[in-house]
Amino acid sequence: LSAVIKTDYYTTTVTRGATLFRFQLTGLIFAHCCACCFFAIGAVGGAEGWPAFWGLTDAAVTTCYVRSLYWCVTTLTTVGYGDIVPLTEIEIIFTCLVMFIGVLGYSA
């Protein structure tokens, strides 16, 4: 009987750990995709987009990606420091979409 209990405990623990890992990996992939989209939208915005506002038009791609990922994490977690803000209409629409998805993620 004790062998069955230990096996059930181990199976339950492994299953919960795998579920948590999948959830975190999904969140990381989603944040990456949002960061890439925000970066691309800003790059298309030209002189009116957020990269131009911060003087990042000639910056390295990694710098812009890190700033985009930072924006995405603060937006999805509803912290929203407000230091990187959407400026063009398409950036604002995308930000609203990401905020809505972030809230849905917490309510699910």
Side-chain angles (χ1 to χ4, degrees):
L1 183 64
S2 64
V4 172
I5 293 172
K6 287 181 182 177
T7 303
D8 287 341
Y9 174 76
Y10 175 76
T11 304
T12 303
T13 304
V14 169
T15 303
R16 287 182 183 166
T19 301
L20 180 62
F21 178 74
R22 279 194 310 263
F23 179 73
Q24 290 174 337
L25 185 63
T26 302
L28 184 65
I29 291 170
F30 183 73
H32 166 73
C33 291
C34 284
C36 289
C37 288
F38 190 67
F39 173 61
I41 290 170
V44 169
E48 298 177 0
W50 69 268
F53 179 79
W54 284 99
L56 298 173
T57 51
D58 296 328
V61 174
T62 54
T63 302
C64 292
Y65 173 75
V66 169
R67 300 264 175 110
S68 298
L69 186 61
Y70 165 77
W71 167 86
C72 183
V73 170
T74 57
T75 302
L76 284 174
T77 59
T78 67
V79 172
Y81 292 121
D83 49 353
I84 299 177
V85 295
L87 300 173
T88 63
E89 286 189 27
I90 189 71
E91 290 174 359
I92 293 170
I93 291 169
F94 181 71
T95 300
C96 289
L97 179 67
V98 171
M99 284 190 284
F100 183 70
I101 292 171
V103 169
L104 284 179
Y106 287 114
S107 66

